[in-house]
Amino acid sequence: MDHEESRVNQARMDMLKELANIGVGNAATSLSQMLEEARVDMEVPEVKLEELQEVPEHLGDPESAVGGVYFEAQSTEEDINLVCLFVLPLDSVKYLILKLLPGWASDASDIDVSADMGEMEISMLREVGNIVAGGYLSALSFITGLTFLPSPPQLAVDMSGAIVGAVIAETRLVDDKLILLKTTIHSAQHSIEGNVLILPDEGSLERIFKLMGVE
Amino acid sequence: MAGKTTNEIVKVKIADLAVKKGEGTLVTIGLGSCVGVSLYDGIAKVGGLAHVLLSDSTQFSNQKKEQNPAKFADTALPLLVKKMEQQGGQKSRLKAKIAGGSKLFGKNSNIIGVGEKNIQMTRQTLEQMGIPVLAEDVGGDYGRTMKVDVYTGDVTISTVGRGEKKL
């Protein structure tokens, strides 16, 4: 790789990291308000060009049970789409239910989320998904100057590999290599953690870079 | 080979396929809307497993880049058969078992989902190749893990909270 090319790639990666940073920062702030907690921590975002086959591995053991909320965001002005997936381990889903639906259960072990969830729990998780979505969309608008509209968040509780695969298929993200932005957030007080994956399709990514003058 | 056991496990990732001869296990984890297709030649003891992401490659053929054939049912299955033939398998002896194609998201909507399309294309492609389907565990709204015993052709399906079953 020559010097010029690596400089450009570095600029692109830096821009994506910045996007992930602002997005997850917004999301962490909103979540800390929702949880009435002083701190929701986030880790340094990971930005990577990854083989499609390897994407599910980024969320830990693909057979482990998780809650997943995803939505697609679309620019109102330009042909730009991206997919945002928020994945929480089952324990975190239980803690969220305990915290946000007081009186629903006295202890996390009383909650069986793998059974069909009720309307309350589903709308609670959707709301959490909305908050994470809002954080990223405002970051994206801030960076690009465009307006983005999210699709209604979709929710499932199942194996993490099955969830990631279904999201990739539903959103037709079929490039052999995908750029993924991953950020981990956690709240120590409530043992809640989660991973946010942002997956833009290749064309959208190019248009974002062009808009930003990072070509 | 009495007394000899190998527990070698080959993992098949999403949009991927693998073939194994003799003994061992092929496994693919987390089939949601994706479909897992196991093919087995009981005489040559050759097993194959594909983890298909989408149904129809022709919908993406206008894209400038060449696509990985293991991604789509219509291209993955002929490729899997070819690889099995290279290991001594014979197309006329192959038997299929399929799993997956569920609807994890939007389970209450009536729209035909990606999973349903994957199942249909898988059945259709197998039929065109003259490969009978011995067993299916498809549809529903939950994910599956699929394990294939290459020696016996037995397929085991496991789930989150719905136990295990043999195909």
Side-chain angles (χ1 to χ4, degrees):
Chain A
M1 188 188 294
D2 65 29
H3 180 70
E4 180 63 12
E5 194 184 336
S6 86
R7 192 189 59 78
V8 171
N9 280 337
Q10 195 53 49
R12 289 180 161 205
M13 286 299 181
D14 287 347
M15 198 214 95
L16 292 173
K17 272 193 183 147
E18 187 58 15
L19 169 67
N21 250 325
I22 302 175
V24 80
N26 290 344
T29 306
S30 310
L31 276 178
S32 72
Q33 284 164 3
M34 192 182 191
L35 295 167
E36 297 168 326
E37 182 163 339
R39 277 182 63 181
V40 173
D41 293 315
M42 56 192 225
E43 281 168 26
V44 178
E46 192 184 314
V47 178
K48 205 171 173 195
L49 181 65
E50 185 60 281
E51 303 282 339
L52 173 69
Q53 277 101 329
E54 303 296 331
V55 173
E57 312 283 325
H58 281 267
L59 294 166
D61 176 5
E63 204 164 19
S64 65
V66 298
V69 187
Y70 88 92
F71 65 92
E72 289 178 84
Q74 197 166 30
S75 161
T76 53
E77 296 106 326
E78 302 270 343
D79 181 16
I80 297 176
N81 296 287
L82 47 85
V83 175
C84 176
L85 170 64
F86 183 44
V87 174
L88 311 96
L90 223 48
D91 280 344
S92 294
V93 175
K94 292 179 183 179
Y95 280 113
L96 270 175
I97 289 174
L98 272 186
K99 172 70 189 172
L100 297 175
L101 299 174
W104 197 88
S106 55
D107 188 85
S109 60
D110 294 342
I111 302 171
D112 178 14
V113 279
S114 55
D116 281 349
M117 286 197 294
E119 279 302 311
M120 278 294 276
E121 299 92 286
I122 288 172
S123 54
M124 185 273 298
L125 275 183
R126 280 229 174 86
E127 191 49 34
V128 172
N130 267 329
I131 282 176
V132 172
Y136 275 94
L137 293 187
S138 56
L140 205 56
S141 298
F142 178 75
I143 281 186
T144 60
L146 302 172
T147 306
F148 286 87
L149 293 178
S151 63
Q154 300 284 323
L155 174 91
V157 174
D158 214 299
M159 295 176 195
S160 95
I163 287 182
V164 179
V167 169
I168 289 174
E170 293 281 353
T171 57
R172 300 164 76 87
L173 269 174
V174 294
D175 298 324
D176 284 341
K177 280 176 184 272
L178 295 173
I179 281 272
L180 72 91
L181 286 78
K182 179 183 133 180
T183 330
T184 305
I185 54 178
H186 38 84
S187 133
Q189 194 183 327
H190 294 104
S191 316
I192 294 165
E193 57 171 7
N195 282 305
V196 182
L197 273 195
I198 307 283
L199 299 161
D201 65 61
E202 201 182 0
S204 296
L205 204 59
E206 287 302 321
R207 287 185 279 277
I208 292 176
F209 287 138
K210 200 171 175 192
L211 243 128
M212 304 303 301
V214 215
E215 282 186 79
Chain B
M1 273 184 273
K4 190 193 169 214
T5 52
T6 52
N7 295 318
E8 198 195 338
I9 295 169
V10 177
K11 252 176 96 172
V12 178
K13 293 180 175 170
I14 186 169
D16 200 2
L17 52 82
V19 173
K20 201 161 177 355
K21 187 179 165 81
E23 298 178 288
T25 307
L26 296 165
V27 57
T28 196
I29 294 171
L31 294 161
S33 56
C34 296
V35 170
V37 184
S38 134
L39 297 182
Y40 176 61
D41 178 336
I43 308 277
K45 300 289 179 201
V46 176
L49 180 62
H51 184 137
V52 168
L53 177 68
L54 288 165
S55 52
D56 189 356
S57 65
T58 61
Q59 288 183 10
F60 296 89
S61 55
N62 57 348
Q63 293 191 358
K64 55 191 181 299
K65 274 177 301 184
E66 210 174 303
Q67 296 275 343
N68 161 19
K71 229 181 287 183
F72 306 99
D74 63 339
T75 47
L77 301 182
L79 178 63
L80 185 61
V81 170
K82 196 175 145 203
K83 292 204 167 209
M84 291 178 76
E85 286 171 339
Q86 287 165 356
Q87 300 263 338
Q90 269 186 28
K91 193 175 175 184
S92 58
R93 293 198 298 245
L94 295 181
K95 307 271 190 288
K97 292 178 182 177
I98 66 179
S102 65
K103 198 173 196 176
L104 294 189
F105 295 100
K107 48 190 82 160
N108 296 325
S109 99
N110 293 321
I111 300 164
I112 295 175
V114 178
E116 185 59 37
K117 286 183 189 157
N118 284 344
I119 297 166
Q120 285 168 5
M121 184 60 95
T122 297
R123 286 184 188 135
Q124 189 187 320
T125 309
L126 288 170
E127 199 188 327
Q128 282 164 359
M129 294 192 294
I131 299 173
V133 178
L134 292 192
E136 291 187 349
D137 182 31
V138 296
D141 59 7
Y142 53 92
R144 297 166 172 93
T145 286
M146 188 176 190
K147 289 194 186 81
V148 184
D149 183 321
V150 174
Y151 190 72
T152 61
D154 286 346
V155 171
T156 311
I157 306 296
S158 46
T159 58
V160 173
R162 283 181 172 82
E164 253 186 32
K165 73 160 107 165
K166 278 228 156 35
L167 287 189

